[in-house]
């Protein structure tokens, strides 16, 4: 795909992207970490996924918030004033329901969205301050997976951390446990965590959510190769890879792969690396874990939170669980 006219890529060998690609494509089977999906185009494609008819996750979690936001915030407050932080906030589309409930219960609220993408965060902050009087947005641009700290809230406020949207499902169980323990270590007695978790359900429903008829998830998966072409001067032909979603029942996860349609070689010039693919060989690009009904509470308690309450939709497809620091 690279041509003589395309600008030379910046030397990226020591960048996190370069390191991840060098490492992942040298493994057998080949793999790439899912965080690579989220360049600007990938973040836009993900936003599109959240509105797809097959992608039940976003609308189901939103329906829980629509029905229960007041109760969720009341339980999280436990009589105190809350400020609300959100990990990986993105466009914060569903968060408005919780923020409105907080404003209703306590008059005003400080909202601290945390995300790596400044553009999306800025747009979300503007939208929320415009739409919900009483919310002050204090955005933080950071990668929460690389460390997290919070200034202690003032005036007896408690902090509620939102980790919603099934983001926890993209981590391996051990990493997920470590991340929640790290969140726990940044909080103080009375603070709380609200975790949004996707539950195990019918295999065909799960598969459709990750292989939609319009091909948006396929484009999201292949955009990863487009990113490597742009950022690392690679010459992948995205069309010579197929999108594949499969259900791994043993590990209780959806897996996303890119499957080479033919024997081929790709060159990644910034890494001075060539990668050979056999026909049918895959790059494993994402896992999305689905939890059994009692597992979210276990996740919370193993990380040092006291499970307080859980809410689910009428089909039991998605759960929102509140844990508190004792
Ligand atoms: C961001 N995350 C919760 C999504 C999920 O459902 O695992 C990412 C995604 N991958 C494909 N479609 C959506």
């Amino acid at each position: 795909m690279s041509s003589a006219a395309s600008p030379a890529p910046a030397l990226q060998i020591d960048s996190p992207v370069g390191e991840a690609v060098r490492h992942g494509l040298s493994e057998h089977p080949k793999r790439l970490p899912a965080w690579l999906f989220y360049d600007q185009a990938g973040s836009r494609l993900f936003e599109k996924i959240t509105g797809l008819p097959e992608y039940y996750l976003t609308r189901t979690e939103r329906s829980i918030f629509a029905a229960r936001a007041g109760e969720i915030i009341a339980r999280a407050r436990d009589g105190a004033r809350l400020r609300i932080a959100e990990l990986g906030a993105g466009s914060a589309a569903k968060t408005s329901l919780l923020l409105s409930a907080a404003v209703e219960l306590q008059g005003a609220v400080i909202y601290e969205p945390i995300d790596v993408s400044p553009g999306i965060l800025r747009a979300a902050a503007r939208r929320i301050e415009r739409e919900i009087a009483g919310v002050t947005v204090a955005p933080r641009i950071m990668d929460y997976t690389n460390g997290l700290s919070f200034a202690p809230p003032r005036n007896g406020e408690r902090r509620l951390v939102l980790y919603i949207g099934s983001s926890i499902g993209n981590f391996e169980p051990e990493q997920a446990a470590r991340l929640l323990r790290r969140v726990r270590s940044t909080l103080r007695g009375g603070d709380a965590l609200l975790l949004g978790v996707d539950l195990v359900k019918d295999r065909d429903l799960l598969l459709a959510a990750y292989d939609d008829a319009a091909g948006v998830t396929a484009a999201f998966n292949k955009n990863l190769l487009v990113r490597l072409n742009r950022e690392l001067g690679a010459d992948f032909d995205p069309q010579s890879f197929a999108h594949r979603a499969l259900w791994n029942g043993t590990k209780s996860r959806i897996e996303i792969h890119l499957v080479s349609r033919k024997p081929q070689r790709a060159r990644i010039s910034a890494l001075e690396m060539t990668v050979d693919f056999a026909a049918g060989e895959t790059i494993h690009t994402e896992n999305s874990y689905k939890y059994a009904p009692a597992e979210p509470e276990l996740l919370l308690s193993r990380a040092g939170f006291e499970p307080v309450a859980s809410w689910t939709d009428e089909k039991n497809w998605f759960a929102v669980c509140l844990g508190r620091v004792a």
Side-chain angles (χ1 to χ4, degrees):
M1 295 281 280
S2 64
S3 73
S6 53
L11 209 56
Q12 298 259 4
I13 297 171
D14 292 330
S15 73
V17 173
E19 278 305 311
V21 172
R22 178 194 294 291
H23 184 72
L25 294 186
S26 306
E27 290 202 57
H28 306 282
K30 296 176 173 64
R31 63 185 180 91
L32 288 170
W35 57 262
L36 282 173
F37 284 141
Y38 300 94
D39 64 355
Q40 217 183 33
S43 300
R44 237 180 270 131
L45 284 164
F46 178 64
E47 281 299 310
K48 217 167 156 189
I49 287 173
T50 62
L52 291 170
E54 296 95 332
Y55 196 75
Y56 60 85
L57 290 84
T58 310
R59 67 168 181 278
T60 306
E61 189 179 46
R62 187 187 295 114
S63 77
I64 300 172
F65 292 158
R68 308 296 202 126
E71 198 182 323
I72 293 170
I73 295 297
R75 295 298 298 270
R77 287 179 76 214
D78 200 23
R81 257 190 102 71
L82 277 188
R83 68 163 59 200
I84 298 179
E86 181 172 3
L87 306 181
S91 66
K94 290 162 293 184
T95 317
S96 301
L97 293 161
L98 297 171
L99 295 173
S100 298
V103 168
E104 201 157 300
L105 282 166
Q106 60 184 42
V109 68
I110 296 173
Y111 172 51
E112 307 167 311
I114 298 171
D115 204 281
V116 283
S117 168
I120 292 183
L121 212 47
R122 231 176 278 125
R126 270 199 300 268
R127 180 183 60 76
I128 285 168
E129 286 194 329
R130 198 176 54 235
E131 287 177 2
I132 318 173
V135 180
T136 304
V137 185
R140 285 172 68 185
I141 296 153
M142 66 180 282
D143 177 0
Y144 65 86
T145 61
N146 273 339
L148 185 67
S149 65
F150 288 114
R154 278 163 300 179
N155 313 329
E157 273 184 339
R158 289 177 174 177
R159 188 173 263 114
L160 168 65
V161 176
L162 309 178
Y163 196 36
I164 58 180
S166 177
S167 303
I168 192 74
N170 295 128
F171 293 94
E172 297 306 304
E174 210 14 75
Q175 289 176 316
R178 211 176 311 132
L179 177 62
L180 295 184
R181 279 198 299 273
R182 196 182 308 140
V183 173
R184 160 69 188 81
S185 73
T186 67
L187 300 179
R188 306 178 345 148
D191 290 348
L193 172 69
L194 190 70
L195 192 62
V197 176
D198 195 18
L199 300 176
V200 176
K201 59 185 66 59
D202 178 76
R203 181 177 169 275
D204 291 343
L205 282 167
L206 286 167
L207 285 172
Y210 292 87
D211 194 6
D212 60 282
V216 184
T217 311
F220 175 70
N221 199 7
K222 290 180 192 179
N223 177 63
L224 209 157
L225 300 177
V226 178
R227 176 177 189 175
L228 303 192
N229 287 350
R230 186 183 62 247
E231 293 188 18
L232 298 177
D235 65 357
F236 287 99
D237 171 12
Q239 293 323 316
S240 66
F241 287 83
H243 167 70
R244 180 186 291 159
L246 57 91
W247 170 243
N248 181 333
T250 314
K251 299 204 163 166
S252 197
R253 69 189 190 196
I254 286 283
E255 296 181 5
I256 303 261
H257 298 261
L258 287 164
V259 188
S260 179
R261 295 186 197 271
K262 57 181 188 191
Q264 55 182 315
R265 167 172 289 179
R267 177 159 173 76
I268 308 174
S269 65
L271 303 180
E272 294 175 355
M273 180 180 182
T274 53
V275 191
D276 290 313
F277 294 89
E281 190 177 351
T282 66
I283 311 176
H284 185 169
T285 51
E286 187 182 50
N287 291 318
S288 194
Y289 282 85
K290 310 299 169 190
Y291 292 93
E295 269 181 313
E297 282 87 353
L298 266 178
L299 266 178
L300 285 174
S301 55
R302 285 201 191 115
F305 293 92
E306 257 173 29
V308 171
S310 293
W311 297 266
T312 183
D313 56 290
E314 56 192 21
K315 293 177 179 148
N316 276 314
W317 281 3
F318 202 94
V320 172
C321 307
L322 183 69
R324 193 181 334 271
V325 179

